[in-house]
Amino acid sequence: MAQCILGGFVRDTRGCGLPAEQRFNHFASVPLCALSLMFDGTTRMMQSAAHYVTPKHAPQMPRMLFSGAQSHPTSSWNEGDIQGLIIAFYPDALSALLGLPMEQFHDKSVRLSALPDSAVRDVIERAFQTGVAKRAFEMVQEGVAPIWQDVRPSQSPFGRMISDWSRSLMLNAALSPSGRSLRQIQRRVKAATGVPLKRLQTYSKAEEAFALALRNGSDDLAGIAADAGYSDQSHMGRQVRAQTGFTPTQLMRGFESDEAFWSYRLMGERY
């Protein structure tokens, strides 16, 4: 399943009594698709600057939400205690599972019921009925595994990082019998993921910079920029801000001390 699902993120704040300012959730722009299941509580999506001041006025998210790859960072707010699950899928894998190009869902979020009927959707809906995030994630993996076994690609030089996945994706596109030119590879990658090949390479650089900062500390930002393949520190700063909404310094400070950056801390455990 490692080629299909990056991971599941359980968020359970029941009984924590978090104050309103600690109930925000910040998510980076990523080339992944996400399934969000909200079992308990209410989450609202921040869609304007005013929503950060009065988040109760932001629109409520559906309890079962599917999101394609996002080209901009997003934030939400929990109205009170919540129990939720986010499952991050590699978009090419989900495209194969659903028989749909993920390009049509780029920068979009829809109710799960908006997706065509399929065995995968049935699995997710049954999992949601458990009412328990951890058990639901287990059921999704158990139910999707045999479906994925039938549609998974044969080539899989796969590792733990988005950069590993993107290289594997490009290799599979290059080995397709329908053509191997750069333009054909770019078209196949974008159809499967909704993300242009060049942007995938941008995500890979940001991921590498994040991993370097976690392993070696974030004091030498110029050195991290050089090692991650940016032209200079300013270039890295612009790219990181575009993908997360924060400067590298703000991001690492939030990572260390702000509850709203919990998703970054969970992702950091992979590195």
Side-chain angles (χ1 to χ4, degrees):
M1 293 296 290
Q3 281 181 275
C4 179
I5 295 176
L6 179 139
F9 304 88
V10 174
R11 179 68 168 168
D12 190 343
T13 64
R14 292 173 297 177
C16 293
L18 295 176
E21 65 274 11
Q22 291 188 20
R23 298 202 299 267
F24 285 96
N25 313 283
H26 299 313
F27 302 98
S29 162
V30 291
L32 305 171
C33 296
L35 173 69
S36 301
L37 303 179
M38 186 59 58
F39 301 93
D40 295 292
T42 299
T43 297
R44 298 184 179 277
M45 181 60 66
M46 303 294 99
Q47 294 185 339
S48 70
H51 288 157
Y52 289 91
V53 180
T54 54
K56 284 189 177 182
H57 295 167
Q60 181 176 334
M61 292 172 56
R63 293 201 173 275
M64 292 189 287
L65 183 72
F66 172 74
S67 300
Q70 303 293 306
S71 59
H72 304 285
T74 58
S75 295
S76 62
W77 182 75
N78 305 325
E79 194 159 346
D81 291 352
I82 60 102
Q83 181 202 184
L85 170 66
I86 300 174
I87 305 177
F89 286 87
Y90 293 104
D92 57 316
L94 201 56
S95 178
L97 286 167
L98 298 177
L100 294 171
M102 289 297 104
E103 188 173 7
Q104 65 183 288
F105 297 106
H106 186 236
D107 278 337
K108 294 181 181 178
S109 295
V110 299
R111 294 177 182 272
L112 181 67
S113 58
L115 297 180
D117 288 336
S118 66
V120 172
R121 198 181 105 180
D122 289 345
V123 165
I124 295 167
E125 289 173 342
R126 288 198 303 271
F128 181 73
Q129 294 305 313
T130 66
V132 180
K134 290 183 179 179
R135 178 56 187 146
F137 185 43
E138 292 170 354
M139 286 185 62
V140 169
Q141 293 178 87
E142 293 165 1
V144 169
I147 307 171
W148 173 240
Q149 190 65 34
D150 290 337
V151 300
R152 62 183 294 181
S154 56
Q155 296 82 20
S156 57
F158 208 75
R160 293 175 59 84
M161 299 177 72
I162 288 177
S163 55
D164 299 320
W165 162 69
S166 62
R167 284 192 292 268
S168 175
L169 183 66
M170 287 184 283
L171 177 60
N172 285 325
L175 294 178
S176 169
S178 59
R180 301 183 182 182
S181 73
L182 178 59
R183 185 173 294 275
Q184 289 168 321
I185 291 172
Q186 290 173 331
R187 280 200 297 266
R188 281 193 291 274
V189 168
K190 188 174 182 181
T193 67
V195 181
L197 182 57
K198 186 175 181 180
R199 185 170 293 161
L200 280 178
Q201 294 166 339
T202 300
Y203 286 126
S204 296
K205 284 184 181 180
E207 181 187 45
E208 178 64 21
F210 186 44
L212 286 169
L214 293 182
R215 288 196 297 264
N216 305 324
S218 57
D219 293 337
D220 183 13
L221 291 179
I224 290 173
D227 291 342
Y230 292 99
S231 57
D232 54 33
Q233 183 177 336
S234 295
H235 180 210
M236 181 179 72
R238 291 192 300 273
Q239 292 292 328
V240 169
R241 184 155 195 163
Q243 290 173 236
T244 69
F246 302 94
T247 67
T249 299
Q250 290 171 331
L251 178 61
M252 296 312 298
R253 186 182 300 124
F255 177 90
E256 293 169 359
S257 61
D258 193 325
E259 183 66 23
F261 289 78
W262 62 267
S263 67
Y264 289 89
R265 286 191 286 274
L266 284 179
M267 284 297 294
E269 293 180 6
R270 295 174 58 85
Y271 310 128

